Amino acid sequence: MTLIRLLVVDDHNLFRRGLIALLSQDERFKVVGEAGDIGEALRCVERSRPDLVLLDNHLPGVLGVDGIATLKAAAPGVRILMLTMSENKNDLVAALQAGADGYLLKTVELDHLSEYIIQVLAGESVVSPEMMTKLVTAFRGKPAPAALPPPAIPGAAPEAAAPLEGPGAGLLSAREREVLGLIALGDSNKLIARKLDIAETTVKIHVQHILRKLQLTSRVQAAVYAASRELG
């Protein structure tokens, strides 16, 4: 089995070492480096070529979000997963627009963090459930940001957000639109299933259909799509 190579970047030594110890218990992961600032992180990225960087935002000198482009330029293909205490909406938006592949709060459970890492490496974008509402609010009624592009839909004006009955929404069934609206609220599959009184497996199928029809790759993109078109 090929191990997933991780780099942990955080200026708090105790937190960083504790996280490394916990991640090292997962047989899927190999921590290949650690750093306390962007300069050190850049050297580690160039030397160790990690698959994914767990990046704090509030680092000394250069903020994590300001170092994303540099890290990705040094190692094309590397995934950047923000792991921070900041619940600030502006930090979230800035990170995603800078090219981060996800934004998680440090309160995340370890088993959830492990699965988020796997999802990001599979090409998905992830955001802590607590931050999803802030993300949706940030883009409600606005075009989706460049880091999370809306799908190109024939007949839709690229500079304008499609209304509820627009061509993008028209691709979806009534039930899929219900599910999309709840995704935009940050609801999990389990909560959506409870609200709509359907099986969780059915929700997963609806989500897959929504992503395929709208040419999106993740729930985060779906939520932003819905918010920018006022579907949520």
Side-chain angles (χ1 to χ4, degrees):
M1 180 179 64
T2 302
L3 298 180
I4 295 169
R5 299 166 61 83
L6 303 177
L7 170 64
V8 178
V9 184
D10 196 291
D11 64 325
H12 290 91
N13 290 335
L14 186 60
F15 176 83
R16 187 175 71 241
R17 294 295 175 84
L19 179 59
I20 290 172
L22 291 172
L23 290 171
S24 297
Q25 295 176 13
D26 192 315
E27 61 183 11
R28 296 171 295 180
F29 302 145
K30 179 180 180 181
V31 179
V32 297
E34 59 179 290
D37 57 50
I38 289 296
E40 190 177 0
L42 180 59
R43 291 189 291 272
C44 287
V45 163
E46 293 173 335
R47 180 176 63 250
S48 303
R49 296 293 170 177
D51 299 306
L52 182 141
V53 178
L54 289 166
L55 181 65
D56 187 22
N57 189 37
H58 295 292
L59 299 172
V62 179
L63 292 176
V65 65
D66 294 327
I68 292 173
T70 300
L71 294 175
K72 290 210 166 192
V78 70
R79 306 286 186 176
I80 306 289
L81 181 53
M82 302 297 294
L83 184 60
T84 177
M85 288 296 295
S86 175
E87 297 186 36
N88 186 289
K89 178 177 67 177
N90 294 331
D91 288 342
L92 167 65
V93 172
L96 295 178
Q97 289 181 326
D101 299 285
Y103 192 100
L104 300 177
L105 299 180
K106 288 182 176 179
T107 53
V108 64
E109 296 290 338
L110 179 62
D111 56 342
H112 292 165
L113 174 60
S114 298
E115 293 311 310
Y116 282 135
I117 290 172
I118 299 300
Q119 289 177 41
V120 167
L121 288 171
E124 295 188 29
S125 301
V126 300
V127 171
S128 284
E130 304 94 320
M131 299 297 292
M132 185 65 80
T133 300
K134 294 183 179 182
L135 175 65
V136 170
T137 301
F139 297 117
R140 187 172 298 281
K142 300 178 182 179
L148 295 169
I153 301 171
E159 70 277 4
L164 182 61
E165 299 300 334
L171 295 173
L172 307 178
S173 68
R175 178 64 88 185
E176 288 166 351
R177 287 170 53 168
E178 283 184 290
V179 172
L180 180 57
L182 293 174
I183 288 175
L185 296 178
D187 289 354
S188 65
N189 285 348
K190 183 177 295 186
L191 183 55
I192 292 173
R194 188 158 60 241
K195 285 184 175 181
L196 298 181
D197 194 24
I198 57 178
E200 187 174 350
T201 53
T202 303
V203 175
K204 292 179 181 179
I205 293 172
H206 285 315
V207 172
Q208 292 172 0
H209 289 171
I210 290 167
L211 297 181
R212 176 176 55 80
K213 288 180 178 180
L214 299 182
Q215 302 174 35
L216 303 173
T217 60
S218 73
R219 295 173 70 92
V220 175
Q221 290 187 359
V224 173
Y225 176 92
S228 65
R229 285 155 176 77
E230 299 184 354
L231 300 180

